[in-house]
Amino acid sequence: MDQRGTQGERGRSASNGQPTLWQVPDDLPVTDMPFAIALLALGAARGLGHKGLHALVREHREQLGRLWDVPDSRLTDELTRAKVPTARKIADEISTHRADLLKTARAKADELAQRDIRIIGPSALPARLAELPGAPLWLFVEGDPRALYEGPHVAVVGTRDVTPDGVRATEAAVRTLAAYPIALVSGLANGVDAVAHRAALRDGVRNVAFLGHGIDVVFPAETADIRARIVRTGGAVASEYLPGEHYRKAQFVQRNRLQAGLADLVIATEGQRTGGTAHTVRFAATYRRPIIGFTWPGAGDLADLIGTEPTGRLIDIFTTAGRRTLDALCRSAADSYGHTTFGLSLVERQLGREVELRALPPEDLTRLRQRLDDLLGQEDGGHAR
């Protein structure tokens, strides 16, 4: 997960002897240049663009720095072999500005490191993302990268135009999963995303936020405090876009595939089937992720789309039965990772805090024990509320 990545990777050949995307030319020397420096320098080369940069990373992976060691006379051939558009023009750009591009890249890498931002190379990506069709080839991560690897993950997503009932539904979803060792995934947008992140922070849930723009861009401005708290509490903010890249609609759509891809369960709390959250639902369906849609009068018609998907399921979140169904799904996700689960862990944490802060007389504790006995008696008698 460090910026250097796997330096000695040579790649593999397919059974027919043809090169695969993991293979790099054997006659190019192994480089000591960190992947991060090579990526940032190429990303700043005028005219290369996303398509050319992705082609080069697919070809060279963590050994991307080899391109900076290639003699100018051979650079055009290397770019052409990787199917980089306008290879000769890009080779001239790199040759002419080699020193400046590398100097700028090193300065940018230092700046990112000072902000606790790491660059994960293609061979170190979380498996659930690396196996996706059209998988990312790198990630910029602010905060603790372990949040991306330590599952399960539950994505809670929905409309930016959240209603009061949508807020209640989103908070109910987060409160339910908060009882288990689950990380919440969302997109740090206004609306449902912001409600979900805030609720998760309130309940002590680890957060992962995917951005639709560069890691050093804060958007929308209203989420700056949420982002800082995610990082401060052991979560991670991640982006596949280069530093300085501003948001575009298409990038938010692509961001949604990462939310769906990392998630073990996707919960859409409110939205319309023509809105942006529908992209997340469709990605989740493509990846065969379980999808939960919430229903209540006025919830929007996104649930209609979810109900047609093979992995989709609808829950009335404002009923006891609906909450219990969601609880069972969250607990099952945590159990599948081998975690020890305790459905009252959130209550336990809150109770411990209350006991710590209050001067409780003995009769208060006696009353609490009696209330617990009453609740257990209701469960045993089949009369749980």
Side-chain angles (χ1 to χ4, degrees), residues 78-100:
E78 289 301 322
L79 299 184
T80 300
R81 187 178 53 76
K83 297 182 172 57
V84 174
T86 63
R88 182 179 296 279
K89 181 179 179 180
I90 303 304
D92 289 343
E93 166 73 10
I94 292 173
S95 298
T96 302
H97 302 287
R98 185 185 300 264
D100 288 340

Side-chain angles (χ1 to χ4, degrees), residues 2-32:
D2 62 12
Q3 291 189 357
R4 187 169 293 271
T6 305
Q7 298 299 329
E9 182 177 318
R10 282 264 179 189
R12 297 189 291 269
S13 295
S15 58
N16 61 4
Q18 295 299 310
T20 71
L21 292 179
W22 295 69
Q23 191 172 10
V24 295
D26 288 335
D27 60 340
L28 290 181
V30 174
T31 182
D32 290 328

Side-chain angles (χ1 to χ4, degrees), residues 206-217:
R206 198 180 212 179
N207 281 255
V208 173
F210 285 109
L211 306 179
H213 47 74
I215 195 72
D216 55 348
V217 176

Side-chain angles (χ1 to χ4, degrees), residues 74-124:
R74 185 175 169 180
L75 189 54
T76 298
D77 291 340
E78 289 301 322
L79 299 184
T80 300
R81 187 178 53 76
K83 297 182 172 57
V84 174
T86 63
R88 182 179 296 279
K89 181 179 179 180
I90 303 304
D92 289 343
E93 166 73 10
I94 292 173
S95 298
T96 302
H97 302 287
R98 185 185 300 264
D100 288 340
L101 289 169
L102 289 172
K103 179 180 178 181
T104 301
R106 291 189 178 98
K108 176 57 71 173
D110 289 343
E111 175 189 328
L112 295 175
Q114 290 173 7
R115 289 188 51 186
D116 194 29
I117 295 173
R118 299 167 176 84
I119 301 177
I120 300 176
S123 296

Side-chain angles (χ1 to χ4, degrees), residues 311-358:
T311 61
R313 183 172 181 175
L314 302 182
I315 291 177
D316 185 345
I317 193 60
F318 295 137
T319 66
T320 299
R323 288 290 292 272
R324 288 192 166 198
T325 297
L326 182 61
D327 179 79
L329 292 170
C330 292
R331 187 167 196 155
S332 177
D335 287 340
S336 71
Y337 278 75
H339 294 306
T340 300
T341 54
F342 176 41
L344 296 177
S345 63
L346 183 59
V347 175
E348 182 182 44
R349 295 198 299 271
Q350 292 172 331
L351 179 60
R353 184 63 174 164
E354 291 293 313
V355 171
E356 177 185 350
L357 294 176
R358 299 183 186 279

Side-chain angles (χ1 to χ4, degrees), residues 10-297:
R10 282 264 179 189
R12 297 189 291 269
S13 295
S15 58
N16 61 4
Q18 295 299 310
T20 71
L21 292 179
W22 295 69
Q23 191 172 10
V24 295
D26 288 335
D27 60 340
L28 290 181
V30 174
T31 182
D32 290 328
M33 181 180 292
F35 173 80
I37 302 299
L39 178 72
L40 291 168
L42 286 169
R46 289 184 302 175
L48 181 60
H50 286 182
K51 184 176 181 180
L53 184 57
H54 280 74
L56 291 174
V57 175
R58 280 193 297 269
E59 183 72 19
H60 294 276
R61 300 181 70 81
E62 270 76 6
Q63 285 288 291
L64 188 65
R66 292 179 180 216
L67 289 170
W68 294 99
D69 299 328
V70 170
D72 292 347
S73 59
R74 185 175 169 180
L75 189 54
T76 298
D77 291 340
E78 289 301 322
L79 299 184
T80 300
R81 187 178 53 76
K83 297 182 172 57
V84 174
T86 63
R88 182 179 296 279
K89 181 179 179 180
I90 303 304
D92 289 343
E93 166 73 10
I94 292 173
S95 298
T96 302
H97 302 287
R98 185 185 300 264
D100 288 340
L101 289 169
L102 289 172
K103 179 180 178 181
T104 301
R106 291 189 178 98
K108 176 57 71 173
D110 289 343
E111 175 189 328
L112 295 175
Q114 290 173 7
R115 289 188 51 186
D116 194 29
I117 295 173
R118 299 167 176 84
I119 301 177
I120 300 176
S123 296
L125 290 168
R128 291 180 70 83
L129 295 181
E131 69 188 10
L132 298 178
L137 294 174
W138 61 80
L139 283 175
F140 293 83
V141 180
E142 181 179 10
D144 190 344
R146 290 177 297 182
L148 294 163
Y149 297 83
E150 296 173 355
H153 296 88
V154 173
V156 178
V157 296
T159 178
R160 287 176 171 81
D161 300 318
V162 63
T163 64
D165 278 342
V167 170
R168 290 177 54 220
T170 302
E171 290 180 338
V174 176
R175 179 57 61 92
T176 302
L177 67 87
Y180 306 108
I182 290 172
L184 176 131
V185 178
S186 202
L188 206 58
N190 285 327
V192 165
D193 290 10
V195 172
H197 285 304
R198 287 195 186 97
L201 290 165
R202 175 200 65 202
D203 290 340
V205 176
R206 198 180 212 179
N207 281 255
V208 173
F210 285 109
L211 306 179
H213 47 74
I215 195 72
D216 55 348
V217 176
V218 177
F219 176 83
E222 298 91 331
T223 63
D225 178 64
I226 298 175
R227 176 172 174 164
R229 291 171 61 198
I230 288 173
V231 172
R232 190 166 61 245
T233 55
V237 178
S239 175
E240 63 183 316
Y241 297 103
L242 294 174
E245 285 196 66
H246 287 275
Y247 54 88
R248 293 186 300 167
K249 182 177 180 179
Q251 292 175 181
F252 284 119
V253 173
Q254 290 302 300
R255 178 274 309 272
N256 290 347
R257 87 190 194 285
L258 302 184
Q259 295 179 129
L262 187 64
D264 296 272
L265 174 68
V266 175
I267 303 174
T269 64
E270 182 180 20
Q272 302 295 330
R273 64 186 305 158
T274 56
T277 307
H279 294 293
T280 308
V281 169
R282 293 188 179 99
F283 282 125
T286 299
Y287 305 151
R288 306 296 298 174
R289 305 295 194 250
I291 313 164
I292 300 300
F294 287 170
T295 62
W296 73 86

